[in-house]
Amino acid sequence: MSGVTEASIFAALKGIVEPKSQQDVVTLGMISGLIVKDGNVGFAIEVDPKEGAAMEPLRKAAEQAVHALDGVISVTAVLTAERAGQNAGQGGGGAAPAPNQAQGSQAQGSQAQGQAGGQRAMVPGVRAIVAVASGKGGVGKSTTTTNLALGLAQLGLKVGVLDADIYGPSQPRMLGISGRPTSPDGKILNPMENYGIKCMSMGFLVAEDTPMIWRGPMVQSALQQMLRDVEWGELDILVVDMPPGTGDAQLTMAQQVPLTGAVIVSTPQDIALLDARKGLNMFRKVDVPVLGIVENMSMFVCPNCGHESHIFSHGGAKREADKLGMEFLGEVPLDIEIRETSDEGRPIVVSNPDAPHAKAYSAIAQRVWDKVSTQIDAGGARQAPKIVMQ
Ligand code: ADP
């Protein structure tokens, strides 16, 4: 075991001075999320988002200082912005979380949401927000989000995608967008755009291979910023790519966003493993209607002979959906073209709209919009529910 300790790391970081205040980064409470594992060290340096670029030398210096310690194998320091330095005029719905000073008081999961109050205002100009969720990663949630969003745009709707999968943001790649969002006033970000879809993602702000250490309040403020500090303009529907899973973090997120409804993506195996049921329960807890379930990778169609192989038993999703009282929104086969096009940033719905698999997404989009528009007509905007933590 190496001899590196948290105390020795903090001692080393005390030698790093923030240029403006001329105080060290530890005293200023800028260090958070320290993790030490077998000589590998990670931590976050919280900075004012406006100072982000200027703080790069400080980040490097902090990494070097820790690297110089005996027993340290690797160091990863990331700059994080807890919150834009001000409350960006969001109509008073959710009080801005206090800027973080509480270094050392690690966020303890979901109770931190109390700070922002329970009730979330709708996002002005956005008529409906729909989450796309899955019980675990790798089931095609992001691919479904992208193609569903494009299918909705084909219907003539104004569509946005909020990539809330902050642990593995893939919307920039899937929508073929690179570069960084601009902010004319330093407070509100302009979303990026491609194929007529507006998109905001942590992936634009942090390099894809940068490991990020997220603490509870940071997750929440990142989500709030992407939701409210972005110039979404008028949207008929904002599709949210949720982080995979149905744990506390996901529950908190589901609660933070005023969702009109949720779509659950599942593979046939996961349906057997009851993952879809977990997703349904999560949204029920926060009182968000589940619009239905999409079965992804439902079968394999041989590209040579067209033979359909049902590697996992067919029809399981539909039966499970029926059992749970959820609508079965449709199935999408396992297909190389779907994988290649989405991974290359030319999703099948735009690159080959007449392909049967693209039509499968379009049909799902139509059904989702039918249900969402009925809800809009019936009750107007939903408020996110207030959750009482016991
Ligand atoms: P998740 O968001 O659930 O982690 P992704 O959407 O990133 O999953 O998909 C994981 C991988 O599987 C990606 O490479 C994607 O292109 C591929 N994929 C998703 N759906 C399909 C499908 N129906 N057929 C073939 N490949 C798919």
Side-chain angles (χ1 to χ4, degrees):
M1 274 294 11
S2 63
V4 61
T5 60
E6 290 196 5
S8 61
I9 293 166
F10 275 114
L13 290 172
K14 268 197 144 291
I16 306 299
V17 172
E18 195 273 325
K20 252 196 195 157
S21 63
Q22 285 297 310
Q23 282 187 289
D24 72 85
V25 292
V26 176
T27 306
L28 289 170
M30 293 169 74
I31 306 298
S32 65
L34 177 63
I35 295 174
V36 188
K37 197 162 181 275
D38 302 332
N40 300 296
V41 181
F43 55 89
I45 307 174
E46 286 175 17
V47 296
D48 184 330
K50 287 187 292 250
E51 311 264 357
M55 289 295 180
E56 181 55 23
L58 184 94
R59 188 192 68 79
K60 277 223 169 89
E63 271 189 359
Q64 279 162 8
V66 176
H67 210 273
L69 293 173
D70 262 359
V72 171
I73 298 163
S74 77
V75 187
T76 307
V78 292
L79 295 175
T80 69
E82 170 74 8
R83 157 113 213 132
Q86 57 288 304
N87 179 3
Q90 49 193 257
N100 175 64
Q101 327 81 352
Q103 190 267 313
S105 73
Q106 289 283 359
Q108 278 137 22
S110 50
Q111 98 283 13
Q113 72 220 2
Q115 68 179 359
Q119 204 80 352
R120 289 287 157 321
M122 284 298 293
V123 181
V126 178
R127 294 175 69 203
I129 308 182
V130 168
V132 180
S134 65
K136 64 167 195 196
V139 303
K141 170 185 56 59
S142 300
T143 310
T144 307
T145 303
T146 313
N147 283 293
L148 171 64
L150 290 162
L152 289 161
Q154 271 180 345
L155 299 173
L157 301 169
K158 292 197 200 85
V159 183
V161 168
L162 195 172
D163 187 359
D165 188 350
I166 52 171
Y167 302 99
S170 38
Q171 290 306 325
R173 178 168 41 92
M174 292 200 171
L175 279 168
I177 309 177
S178 56
R180 278 168 182 267
T182 54
S183 175
D185 62 358
K187 291 183 211 155
I188 302 287
L189 288 174
N190 287 326
M192 305 291 279
E193 193 166 338
N194 198 14
Y195 305 124
I197 307 274
K198 288 183 178 165
C199 177
M200 182 47 69
S201 167
M202 265 295 149
F204 296 134
L205 309 173
V206 180
E208 205 169 352
D209 54 359
T210 307
M212 288 291 290
I213 302 155
W214 290 96
R215 298 178 303 124
M218 283 162 58
V219 168
Q220 290 161 35
S221 59
L223 183 66
Q224 287 302 314
Q225 280 182 22
M226 288 198 288
L227 200 58
R228 300 184 196 283
D229 297 351
V230 169
E231 185 59 57
W232 288 109
E234 296 285 317
L235 290 183
D236 293 304
I237 184 162
L238 180 64
V239 187
V240 183
D241 188 356
M242 294 283 286
T246 50
D248 262 10
Q250 290 79 1
L251 184 74
T252 306
M253 281 187 140
Q255 181 216 350
Q256 287 248 320
V257 182
L259 292 169
T260 316
V263 170
I264 294 175
V265 180
S266 206
T267 63
Q269 314 81 300
D270 300 318
I271 286 155
L273 293 171
L274 300 182
D275 270 7
R277 190 170 293 200
K278 282 189 215 152
L280 176 70
N281 287 339
M282 173 173 89
F283 288 110
R284 283 211 174 131
K285 258 191 215 163
V286 291
D287 203 18
V288 169
V290 172
L291 302 171
I293 183 166
V294 172
E295 188 183 51
N296 191 33
M297 311 189 192
S298 66
M299 64 190 131
F300 176 70
V301 185
C302 172
N304 301 319
C305 67
H307 175 72
E308 281 186 14
S309 310
H310 297 280
I311 304 166
F312 302 97
S313 70
H314 188 231
K318 180 145 185 14
R319 276 195 300 277
E320 183 70 10
D322 288 347
K323 226 191 304 172
L324 296 172
M326 277 195 277
E327 178 169 340
F328 182 66
L329 292 168
E331 58 190 12
V332 178
L334 177 68
D335 182 82
I336 183 81
E337 193 185 357
I338 296 178
R339 193 187 68 69
E340 285 176 352
T341 51
S342 61
D343 292 352
E344 285 166 12
R346 331 174 271 113
I348 192 162
V349 170
V350 278
S351 59
N352 193 1
D354 293 326
H357 306 331
K359 292 208 163 129
Y361 285 118
S362 305
I364 292 167
Q366 179 70 62
R367 187 62 199 136
V368 165
W369 180 246
D370 286 348
K371 294 189 93 166
V372 167
S373 50
T374 312
Q375 286 210 22
I376 296 174
D377 293 345
R382 273 176 49 87
Q383 292 278 309
K386 191 168 188 162
I387 291 214
V388 179
M389 285 288 163
Q390 295 169 342

